[in-house]
């Protein structure tokens, strides 16, 4: 079948065909970016935290007694929580992965040098790594004599005096690519801190669009502020009972405090990604609505053209065109229109992505979303035009004789 009549027909209807091309282009640009955002958020929601999520429960304690010694209070609390049947280990920490409480430092390799990256600083008591279930892949754990108070009462100055750190593999690869990080020195504060161990993975308390979600450091610093998070590890089936008993134990030990957010780590993860789930639902609804509107536009225009061309279709049938030829004509015409829209849409998609990167710090649009979007729009176009094309193929040759 020659395509010259098809091109000539489209040129005679430049305005309507152009509007449909623009609609397809905008749909392509928006849907590709929406799919990229959803795909990235789904990937983030599946990221492992690096801790034993199904064995952990936690509870926050905020003291209102300004005269109390926080370190002594924490020791007493930990001893009482450790005595709860079913608790295998317990620790007090200042933050946890996905908790939203992020304390980050710029990391330099020389005194007062430029920061190569930022990394979260985690602090906790001596059983922190065992309780959280982190995996040490090289080096050693902290020694008891290395622990110092975090120094919350002195402008968080503990970071300037601590001597050792354990970092994640991701951070080690960033700071010392291709090298063994053990024994090397970093400067997250004013003083040098030697790397004594490496853990395989530990997610940061907050995630962003960068690749630095696994950049974390652990320091032997004892949290000594008014607010603290106690984390208990137990068998999964014991978590609810341990959590209820922990609240009672802490309330009896000290009434001058507020206990809040008793929960499992799985609940903590679920809460962190609640807004992402809502956003994904809204984006899916918007993208689906846009695709339906585009499909309706294609169907409407094709139906209009079929009605407008009934006599010419009848003439073609009278001179020998088969029903398959008519069907193929309208499908090819739609393929050309959608194809033009996809090409223009690819340019608009990258333009829209640049704006989103600049104003909302989103990631660059991966290239594979464009061919995937093109295939989806071509398939949608062929389905949308199928009904009008079938009606066109049913036009009998006798229509050519009517005025």
């Amino acid at each position: 079948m020659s395509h010259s009549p098809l091109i000539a027909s489209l040129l005679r209807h430049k305005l309507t065909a152009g509007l449909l091309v623009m609609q397809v282009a905008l749909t392509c640009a928006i849907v590709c970016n929406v799919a990229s955002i959803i795909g990235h958020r789904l990937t983030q929601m599946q990221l492992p935290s690096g801790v034993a999520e199904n064995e952990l429960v936690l509870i926050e304690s905020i003291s209102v007694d300004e005269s109390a010694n926080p370190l002594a209070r924490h020791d007493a609390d930990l001893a009482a929580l450790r005595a709860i049947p079913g608790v295998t280990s317990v620790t007090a920490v200042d933050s946890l992965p996905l908790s939203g409480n992020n304390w980050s430092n710029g990391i330099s390799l020389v005194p007062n040098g430029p920061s190569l990256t930022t990394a979260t600083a985690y602090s906790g008591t001596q059983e922190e790594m065992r309780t959280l279930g982190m995996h040490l892949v090289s080096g050693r754990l902290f020694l008891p004599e290395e622990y110092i108070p975090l120094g919350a009462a002195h402008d968080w100055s503990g970071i300037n005096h601590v001597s050792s750190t354990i970092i994640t593999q991701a951070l080690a690869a960033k700071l010392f690519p291709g090298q063994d990080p053990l024994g090397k020195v970093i400067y997250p504060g004013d003083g040098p801190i030697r790397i004594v161990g490496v853990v395989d993975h530990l997610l940061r308390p907050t995630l962003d669009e960068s690749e630095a979600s696994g950049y974390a450091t652990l320091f032997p610093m004892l949290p000594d502020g008014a607010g603290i998070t106690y984390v208990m590890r137990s068998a999964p089936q014991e978590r609810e009972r341990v959590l209820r008993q922990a609240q009672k134990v802490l309330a009896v030990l000290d009434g001058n405090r507020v206990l809040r957010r008793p929960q499992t780590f799985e609940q903590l993860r679920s809460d962190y990604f609640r807004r992402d789930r809502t956003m994904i639902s809204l984006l899916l609804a918007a993208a689906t609505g846009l695709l339906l509107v585009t499909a309706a536009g294609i169907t409407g225009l094709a139906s209009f053209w079929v009605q407008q061309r009934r006599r010419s279709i009848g003439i073609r049938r009278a001179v020998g065109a088969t029903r398959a030829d008519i069907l193929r004509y309208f499908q090819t015409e739609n393929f050309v229109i959608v194809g033009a829209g996809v090409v223009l849409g690819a340019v608009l998609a990258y333009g829209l992505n640049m704006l989103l990167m600049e104003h909302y710090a989103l990631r660059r649009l991966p290239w594979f979303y464009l061919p995937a979007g093109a295939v989806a729009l071509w398939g949608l176009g062929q389905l949308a035009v199928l009904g009008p094309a079938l009606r066109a193929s049913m036009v009998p040759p006798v229509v050519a004789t009517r005025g």
Side-chain angles (χ1 to χ4, degrees):
M1 179 179 64
S2 173
H3 288 176
S4 56
L6 186 152
I7 301 299
S9 175
L10 289 177
L11 291 176
R12 283 196 298 274
H13 302 87
K14 290 190 288 292
L15 179 59
T16 50
L19 289 175
L20 189 55
V21 167
M22 283 301 301
Q23 184 177 4
V24 172
L26 288 174
T27 301
C28 179
I30 295 173
V31 168
C32 285
N33 277 282
V34 165
S36 172
I37 294 171
I38 292 175
H40 179 58
R41 292 306 170 102
L42 288 174
T43 300
Q44 281 194 328
M45 291 170 68
Q46 301 302 318
L47 286 175
S49 63
V51 303
E53 296 189 16
N54 65 340
E55 299 179 32
L56 301 181
V57 296
L58 51 137
I59 184 170
E60 294 179 15
S61 172
I62 302 174
S63 176
V64 295
D65 185 358
E66 296 182 355
S67 63
N69 181 336
L71 292 177
R73 187 185 65 246
H74 297 164
D75 287 341
D77 291 343
L78 290 172
L81 294 172
R82 198 176 292 113
I84 295 175
V87 173
T88 57
S89 60
V90 60
T91 186
V93 298
D94 65 339
S95 184
L96 287 167
L98 304 178
S99 66
N101 181 23
N102 187 32
W103 173 29
S104 291
N105 297 290
I107 306 294
S108 173
L109 300 184
V110 295
N112 301 316
S115 296
L116 298 181
T117 187
T118 62
T120 293
Y122 286 110
S123 300
T125 55
Q126 292 188 30
E127 289 186 276
E128 180 183 18
M129 289 195 60
R130 176 173 173 247
T131 302
L132 298 186
M134 287 184 277
H135 299 136
L136 189 72
V137 295
S138 63
R140 62 169 174 82
L141 300 176
F142 296 126
L143 303 175
E145 57 269 25
E146 291 176 323
Y147 281 86
I148 63 173
L150 182 59
H154 306 288
D155 198 23
W156 306 95
S157 60
I159 191 71
N160 297 327
H161 302 286
V162 72
S163 61
S164 57
T165 182
I166 295 173
I167 67 175
T168 59
Q169 281 184 317
L171 181 59
K174 172 67 176 179
L175 297 176
F176 310 104
Q179 303 176 49
D180 183 357
L182 292 180
K184 291 190 166 50
V185 171
I186 62 175
Y187 290 81
D190 294 341
I193 301 178
R194 192 167 301 281
I195 299 172
V196 299
V198 178
V199 294
D200 58 350
H201 179 68
L202 189 61
L203 214 55
R204 300 178 75 164
T206 57
L207 305 181
D208 55 27
E209 302 298 323
S210 70
E211 303 292 339
S213 60
Y215 292 177
T217 51
L218 293 148
F219 295 109
M221 296 191 295
L222 303 171
D224 54 0
I228 192 74
T229 299
Y230 293 115
V231 184
M232 291 146 283
R233 186 172 183 179
S234 67
Q237 65 274 16
E238 297 283 349
R239 289 177 297 174
E240 295 297 332
R241 180 188 59 78
V242 166
L243 196 55
R244 288 194 301 271
Q245 198 161 347
Q247 294 177 73
K248 296 178 182 176
V249 166
L250 293 175
V252 169
L253 274 179
D254 183 2
N256 293 322
R257 67 169 129 203
V258 177
L259 298 175
R260 48 181 294 198
R261 297 179 182 173
Q263 58 187 330
T264 65
F265 192 91
E266 291 171 341
Q267 291 170 328
L268 176 75
R269 170 185 276 275
S270 177
D271 287 344
Y272 182 83
F273 288 112
R274 177 177 294 124
R275 287 192 298 178
D276 294 85
R277 291 194 296 272
T278 302
M279 184 191 70
I280 288 172
S281 300
L282 293 175
L283 288 177
L284 277 176
T288 302
L290 188 58
L291 288 171
L292 289 176
V293 169
T294 301
I298 293 173
T299 302
L301 184 61
S303 298
F304 172 72
W305 279 350
V306 168
Q307 187 64 32
Q308 195 180 46
R309 300 172 183 172
R310 281 181 62 82
R311 189 162 185 272
S312 64
I313 295 171
I315 293 174
R316 291 183 188 180
R317 291 294 311 278
V319 297
T322 64
R323 292 175 57 185
D325 290 335
I326 302 299
L327 182 66
R328 192 179 307 116
Y329 175 88
F330 278 93
Q331 288 181 314
T332 304
E333 184 180 65
N334 174 266
F335 187 85
V336 171
I337 292 174
V338 174
V342 165
V343 172
L344 180 58
V347 178
L348 291 178
Y350 273 112
L352 178 60
N353 180 241
M354 295 292 287
L355 286 175
L356 293 174
M357 288 173 61
E358 181 178 352
H359 295 287
Y360 298 100
L362 295 183
R363 297 180 65 191
R364 184 178 298 280
L365 176 67
W367 67 268
F368 51 82
Y369 281 101
L370 291 178
V375 170
L377 283 169
W378 269 317
L380 180 70
Q382 293 299 300
L383 286 175
V385 82
L386 185 59
L390 286 172
R391 287 198 297 275
S393 69
M394 300 293 288
V395 174
V398 69
V399 171
T401 63
R402 298 172 184 170

